[in-house]
Amino acid sequence: MHLRYLIKALQSGFAGNSGDTAAYKAAALGTPAYGDLEQRLAALTRPLPEITLAELEIQSPGSFGHSLAQFLHNNHIQPLTLSPETRTHLQDASILAIRYPIFHDAFHVLLGFDTSLAGELGVRSFVAAQHNSPAYDRAAFVGRWFTRLVTPWQWPRLKTYEQAGRILGEQAACLIAQPLEEYWGMPLQDVRQQFDLPLVDCGF
C-alpha cells in the first residue's frame, strides 16, 4: 500500500474529483504486473488515455465507441478522467493499476457483460484469466466466493458468467495491452473479432 497515494485519494475524494480519487486508490494498491506487461503498457502511445463522452457519442451507431457511450448512459456512469496534476503525480505509479479502471467499462462492452454481480464477476474472471496481475487473481477469487455468499440463489447465473469470462480470457488477446481508444470508430462486432472475443450467450 502506497500511503502517499492513499492520502491523495482522500484529498481528491473530499474535493469531489471522482476520477482522480479512483486513480489514486488504484495506484495506492500497487497492482504489480506479471512478466513484461508493465513495459508493454509503457510502450503504448497513450498508456493512460483521456476518454470523454463527447468523443464516444460522435462515433457511428453500432461502433465500439458509440456502444460504450450507450453503456455509460444506461448505467449512469461517467468515464474515469484524470486531472493534469494527478497525471503528473502518478508518473511513477503502476500503469496497469490506473489503466485498468479507465477501461473497465470498455471491457464490459466488449465482453457483453452487464453491471450485475454476475456481470462484474464475469469481467473479474476474464481479467484474472488474462494473467495480468496477482492482484486481479485475488480479486476474482474473492469475488467468486463473496457473490455466492451474498446471493446464493444466483449460483447458476454466477457460475455461468464466471466460466464464460474465464474461457474468453484464456483465448483472447491481452486486452489491457491493446490501444483500445484507437478502435472507437470500428464496428463493435469487428473489434470483438479482432481480439478473439465472440459474444457469449449466457442464457439469462
Side-chain angles (χ1 to χ4, degrees), residues 1 11 15 17 21 54 61 77 97 99 105 111 119 129 133 137 140 162-163 186:
M1 179 72 72
Q11 292 173 338
N17 301 324
T21 302
I77 301 171
R99 182 175 172 82
D105 295 311
L111 296 171
S133 168
D137 297 344
E162 178 191 353
Q163 291 179 338
M186 184 181 291

Side-chain angles (χ1 to χ4, degrees), residues 30 38 41-44 47-48 90-91 93-101:
E38 189 72 13
L41 298 180
L44 292 170
L48 303 177
L90 291 175
Q91 285 182 347
S94 163
I95 296 173
L96 174 62
I98 308 163
R99 182 175 172 82
Y100 175 65

Side-chain angles (χ1 to χ4, degrees), residues 9-200:
L10 292 172
Q11 292 173 338
S12 298
F14 287 131
N17 301 324
S18 58
D20 290 349
T21 302
Y24 280 124
K25 282 182 179 178
L29 295 174
T31 317
Y34 282 123
D36 65 348
L37 179 57
E38 189 72 13
Q39 289 72 34
R40 292 167 62 191
L41 298 180
L44 292 170
T45 303
R46 290 189 288 171
L48 303 177
E50 187 79 11
I51 300 176
T52 66
L53 275 174
E55 179 185 14
L56 299 174
E57 289 171 339
I58 63 173
Q59 306 302 326
S60 302
S63 66
F64 177 28
H66 194 267
S67 299
L68 176 55
Q70 287 184 312
F71 178 88
L72 295 173
H73 278 304
N74 292 341
N75 293 285
H76 310 289
I77 301 171
Q78 289 292 324
L80 191 155
T81 57
L82 310 181
S83 67
E85 179 185 13
T86 295
R87 288 179 178 275
T88 299
H89 287 160
L90 291 175
Q91 285 182 347
D92 62 343
S94 163
I95 296 173
L96 174 62
I98 308 163
R99 182 175 172 82
Y100 175 65
I102 290 175
F103 282 111
H104 175 79
D105 295 311
F107 277 38
H108 272 277
V109 172
L110 288 172
L111 296 171
F113 294 161
D114 58 24
T115 58
S116 66
L117 281 177
E120 292 291 350
L121 179 60
V123 174
R124 285 192 180 195
S125 299
F126 172 87
V127 173
Q130 291 259 284
H131 202 60
N132 291 334
S133 168
Y136 297 149
D137 297 344
R138 291 191 295 270
F141 177 82
V142 172
R144 178 166 62 250
W145 293 108
F146 174 77
T147 53
R148 281 162 170 72
L149 286 173
V150 298
T151 57
W153 59 90
Q154 290 191 29
W155 278 17
R157 187 169 189 264
L158 293 167
K159 183 177 180 180
T160 297
Y161 273 81
E162 178 191 353
Q163 291 179 338
R166 176 173 49 78
I167 292 171
L168 287 172
E170 290 172 350
Q171 72 182 34
C174 181
L175 208 55
I176 196 65
Q178 308 303 321
L180 297 179
E181 71 280 2
E182 297 179 8
Y183 294 87
W184 297 147
M186 184 181 291
L188 177 58
Q189 182 177 350
D190 292 351
V191 180
R192 285 173 172 152
Q193 184 175 1
Q194 169 118 359
F195 298 131
D196 200 8
L197 289 168
L199 188 59
V200 177

